[in-house]
Amino acid sequence: LGFVVLAVMLKYLSNVDQVLQTHWITRGVFLAAWIVLFALPGLYLLGFLPMEGVKREERVGVARMLVAAAFLIFAISLLPGLFGGRLGELDASIPEATGSLFAPAGQAQAADLTYKNNLDAALAAARAQNKLVLVNFTGYACTNCHWMKQNMFPRPEVQAAMKDLVLVDLYTDGTDVESEKNQRFEDSKFQTVSIPFYAIVDPDQNVVATFPELTRSTQQFVAFL
């Protein structure tokens, strides 16, 4: 349980790191640490890690073996994430994919042309291309926001619906001036500060449609787009 507590502690430290934008706990560092922290209790329960509480001559029972296997399987399942692979539901709870431990930063999202914290540039691009703007009010430490970005946005139907929109991410939970500005804009324009919150606006900032929450329904989100 001590190893599990350390893993949970790292999760909350990564949230603070993301909000402060210090980038000390990257996705690669986080996953490498979690792999170790979940593999060690598995090895401990099997008697391969010499610590007080388990003696090598003790017989490993079925229950202990199953718990150890669960820890080791979970640790191994995290390995693809180090190489830029997606981790499904878990992607919502770990630092965003901005590269891997063994790949250059940004490689995982090289095709991502979304504007970040720059609504004026997105509106200008929309005006020049005669498009609408999809404003994504999001957060650095927002689990639901990460889930949508990692699991909903990449779906083919959603990508097809988004191709004719200019995308802009406006982060509202940071400690910087931009986050405060984005939060004030969301509050004044839409009378809410909740995230995730999605809005489609024209280049003059007239609201076309809004979507105020996480959804696991592809059809529902595509209908909004």
Side-chain angles (χ1 to χ4, degrees):
L1 289 178
F3 291 116
V4 175
V5 170
L6 288 174
V8 174
M9 178 196 70
L10 183 63
K11 158 61 182 169
Y12 285 106
L13 283 177
S14 73
N15 284 350
V16 175
D17 177 71
Q18 291 175 78
V19 170
L20 296 178
Q21 288 292 282
T22 50
H23 302 295
W24 291 339
I25 305 177
T26 62
R27 178 184 172 90
V29 170
F30 182 93
L31 288 175
W34 260 32
I35 288 170
V36 172
L37 288 173
F38 282 103
L40 288 178
L43 297 175
Y44 165 75
L45 290 171
L46 293 175
F48 293 116
L49 186 64
M51 291 178 65
E52 185 178 354
V54 175
K55 299 179 181 178
R56 280 196 176 272
E57 59 269 20
E58 286 184 0
R59 179 175 175 274
V60 178
V62 174
R64 196 163 78 194
M65 185 177 294
L66 290 175
V67 175
F71 277 113
L72 292 173
I73 289 171
F74 181 70
I76 293 171
S77 72
L78 298 177
L79 284 172
L82 289 176
F83 300 91
R86 295 188 180 278
L87 298 176
E89 294 286 329
L90 191 61
D91 276 325
S93 302
I94 62 179
E96 287 189 274
T98 55
S100 74
L101 195 62
F102 305 102
Q107 180 173 309
Q109 295 182 341
D112 187 2
L113 301 177
T114 303
Y115 290 91
K116 178 181 178 181
N117 290 333
N118 196 339
L119 179 61
D120 291 339
L123 293 172
R127 185 173 290 105
Q129 300 172 40
N130 194 27
K131 292 182 177 181
L132 298 175
V133 178
L134 173 59
V135 183
N136 172 23
F137 290 100
T138 185
Y140 296 110
C142 170
T143 299
N144 288 343
C145 304
H146 290 182
W147 190 93
M148 288 291 288
K149 192 169 185 177
Q150 297 295 331
N151 295 289
M152 180 60 72
F153 284 17
R155 295 178 184 179
E157 306 95 315
V158 175
Q159 286 289 305
M162 292 169 65
K163 68 179 182 179
D164 293 324
L165 298 169
V166 175
L167 277 60
V168 58
D169 289 338
L170 299 184
Y171 288 83
T172 66
D173 66 345
T175 58
D176 55 344
V177 175
E178 288 179 330
S179 292
E180 294 178 2
K181 177 183 176 183
N182 294 336
Q183 189 178 87
R184 287 196 302 269
F185 171 66
E186 183 186 9
D187 187 22
S188 63
K189 186 75 172 178
F190 302 100
Q191 291 74 55
T192 182
V193 292
S194 67
I195 51 177
F197 185 88
Y198 306 96
I200 296 177
V201 301
D202 66 17
D204 296 318
Q205 296 191 33
N206 296 311
V207 179
V208 177
T210 59
F211 195 88
E213 58 191 356
L214 171 145
T215 179
R216 296 178 182 272
S217 169
T218 305
Q219 292 79 8
Q220 187 180 23
F221 197 65
V222 168
F224 153 69
L225 294 175

